[in-house]
Amino acid sequence: MLVPREWFRVDLTQERWRSQLKTFVDRQSQGRGVSADLTRSVWTALRNTAEIGLARGAMEFFLLTTSQDGGLPASLLVSLMPLGDATADPQEYATWLARRESQDDVAGRQVSVVDLPAGTAVRLLGATSLEFRVHMPGGTGYLVLSFSAPVTGMSGPMELLCDAMAGSLRWVM
């Protein structure tokens, strides 16, 4: 998968992921007049996101580094989701997810099935998030690409960028 060079990569499979995350936060706040409280808040939010992601099979965490105020404009969490109770058929899985999304009290995400070069994927679009669940070869599960854009929202150029990143995913056999 191609990720623009402006995105900072944190390898969650390595023990040093916390220090990589700290490096990112320090670089983002350096020379920008960012308060210590905001820096600490960003560090805590990113650490918590990484820890929750790790508990759910996350392997990589990408962070967009173009913010001028020390905030986080966008991120990508890449996770492995074993099949478990989920169906291996992406269309059936999308139908099940759409039903679940429509039952939520808050406005659910738009669920669709898309064909990517890496295979069929379930695409879930929300106001500030975009998720692709790409069916993995061999029926072992789904590779989950979870994009988040809390500052700009997930529309226009950000949605197009995330679609392009997901569209660059290829399996190497």
Side-chain angles (χ1 to χ4, degrees), residues 93 95-104 109 124 133:
Y93 185 47
T95 301
W96 179 81
L97 284 171
R99 203 173 353 198
R100 192 181 81 181
E101 289 288 325
S102 69
Q103 293 172 353
D104 287 347
R109 299 174 288 182
L124 297 101
R133 297 183 184 187

Side-chain angles (χ1 to χ4, degrees), residues 3-18:
V3 178
R5 91 177 59 142
E6 295 85 19
W7 291 60
F8 186 90
R9 179 181 178 262
V10 177
D11 184 349
L12 296 176
T13 66
Q14 303 293 318
E15 287 296 320
R16 66 180 190 272
W17 70 264
R18 283 182 183 81

Side-chain angles (χ1 to χ4, degrees), residues 30-161:
Q30 188 175 24
R32 295 187 175 152
V34 176
S35 73
D37 287 340
L38 178 58
T39 301
R40 196 171 18 264
S41 175
V42 169
W43 157 248
T44 301
L46 293 177
R47 185 202 61 219
N48 290 345
T49 299
E51 287 176 348
I52 291 167
L54 271 168
R56 296 179 179 163
M59 301 173 294
E60 292 181 307
F61 194 18
F62 292 91
L63 305 156
L64 183 56
T65 61
T66 59
S67 174
Q68 296 302 311
D69 63 0
L72 182 65
S75 66
L76 164 62
L77 195 61
V78 180
S79 307
L80 174 62
M81 185 180 85
L83 276 182
D85 293 336
T87 176
D89 179 77
Q91 190 65 51
E92 289 177 17
Y93 185 47
T95 301
W96 179 81
L97 284 171
R99 203 173 353 198
R100 192 181 81 181
E101 289 288 325
S102 69
Q103 293 172 353
D104 287 347
D105 291 336
V106 291
R109 299 174 288 182
Q110 298 171 8
V111 180
S112 59
V113 176
V114 295
D115 287 321
L116 300 175
T120 304
V122 178
R123 183 179 188 270
L124 297 101
L125 176 63
T128 60
S129 66
L130 176 58
E131 187 171 289
F132 289 87
R133 297 183 184 187
V134 186
H135 187 249
M136 294 173 36
T140 58
Y142 290 90
L143 185 70
V144 181
L145 309 175
S146 299
F147 295 95
S148 176
V151 175
T152 62
M154 195 55 69
S155 62
M158 185 57 71
E159 181 181 359
L160 293 173
L161 174 63

Side-chain angles (χ1 to χ4, degrees), residues 13-31:
T13 66
Q14 303 293 318
E15 287 296 320
R16 66 180 190 272
W17 70 264
R18 283 182 183 81
S19 65
Q20 290 176 331
L21 208 51
K22 181 76 170 106
T23 298
F24 171 79
V25 172
D26 290 345
R27 283 184 189 169
Q28 284 298 102
S29 61
Q30 188 175 24

